[in-house]
Amino acid sequence: MLNESLSGYRLKILKHHDEYPAVADLLYPDERDSRLLQDRISELAAGLRLNIPHINVSLITGLHDLPRDQRRVLELPLLKKAVEQWAERNKIDKSQLTIQWQPSGKPQARVSDGPLDISLAHDNRYCIVAAASCPLGCDLAPVTHRTLQQWSGLLGSFGKNLIAGQAAGYGLDRRGTALWAAREVLQKLNVKETLSIKFENPTDDSILFICTTDKGVIKIITFWTVLTRGRERVLAL
């Protein structure tokens, strides 16, 4: 039998908060993070009268650095799960579900009553999947610090007027990352030219971008979130 003696050991009782992650959430954060993101996007989409996609997020450290074929092996179960949950929510038969990748690299799903639009994005920690009955793209990006000059160089003409004159700091980094994520969404929608971009209904944690493009007017909702593990990120849909 092994006995241990602790000297000077102190315990502290922490106040309980229902919204804080439990121990199980810290170990396996996917369910909690997916639920929180789905609740938030459903709230925002309903208020702005937008279609509500189904969202799943999964913690897969190092995914971004893997070769394409290895990434797809890990991504495929996430895509299937998101489509199955979308089908269940919409009472659609999922027995004939198929998923394949288009030559562009975008995943494509089919259920019993026809094609279903899906989009996937990942950084080096998280992978997010969105599914909907309408065309969509998604992106997930950690809020990154850059100077105004660096953001202007990175974004180019895209949304340059929306960051012009902003002082370097937290506010600029949040908006710059949101614009970057919005541009990624447009690329996944095969937009070739963005004629103008403005925002509506900005709040402390979300921005709705209205983009006039060669494919018509596209609305992109972006919001900032902190998942169970890691720093603040922007989700764009």
Side-chain angles (χ1 to χ4, degrees), residues 29-174:
D30 295 1
E31 184 177 344
R32 175 181 184 268
D33 288 336
S34 295
R35 182 182 70 253
L36 292 177
L37 287 182
Q38 186 67 61
D39 289 347
R40 184 61 180 135
I41 193 62
S42 296
E43 177 186 357
L44 289 169
L48 297 170
R49 297 182 180 178
L50 302 175
N51 290 322
I52 301 175
H54 183 80
I55 297 174
N56 263 338
V57 64
S58 185
L59 177 69
I60 310 179
T61 303
L63 179 67
H64 190 69
D65 294 329
L66 293 176
R68 185 189 66 181
D69 290 345
Q70 292 183 34
R71 281 203 317 268
R72 289 184 174 179
V73 169
L74 297 174
E75 292 166 349
L76 185 58
L78 307 179
L79 292 164
K80 286 183 176 179
K81 181 178 179 181
V83 174
E84 287 174 350
Q85 291 178 340
W86 179 90
E88 289 172 359
R89 192 176 74 179
N90 291 276
K91 298 180 174 56
I92 292 175
D93 179 23
K94 59 183 180 181
S95 62
Q96 300 180 46
L97 186 157
T98 61
I99 292 176
Q100 60 184 12
W101 272 268
Q102 301 176 38
S104 65
K106 180 179 173 63
Q108 185 178 50
R110 292 190 67 87
V111 289
S112 59
D113 65 341
L116 177 68
D117 215 71
I118 51 177
S119 183
L120 179 148
H122 56 78
D123 56 22
N124 210 32
R125 183 176 287 263
Y126 283 100
C127 180
I128 186 169
V129 177
S133 56
C134 59
L136 88 161
C138 70
D139 194 54
L140 185 69
V143 174
T144 304
H145 174 65
R146 291 184 174 90
T147 65
L148 178 59
Q149 183 178 10
Q150 288 172 328
W151 277 118
S152 298
L154 182 66
L155 294 169
S157 60
F158 183 83
K160 188 175 181 178
N161 60 308
L162 300 183
I163 59 171
Q166 287 233 335
Y170 184 55
L172 172 63
D173 293 333
R174 285 180 120 209

Side-chain angles (χ1 to χ4, degrees), residues 137-140 158 179-189:
C138 70
D139 194 54
L140 185 69
F158 183 83
L179 280 164
W180 173 263
R183 189 172 75 170
E184 290 293 300
V185 169
L186 291 177
Q187 289 179 353
K188 292 178 179 180
L189 291 170

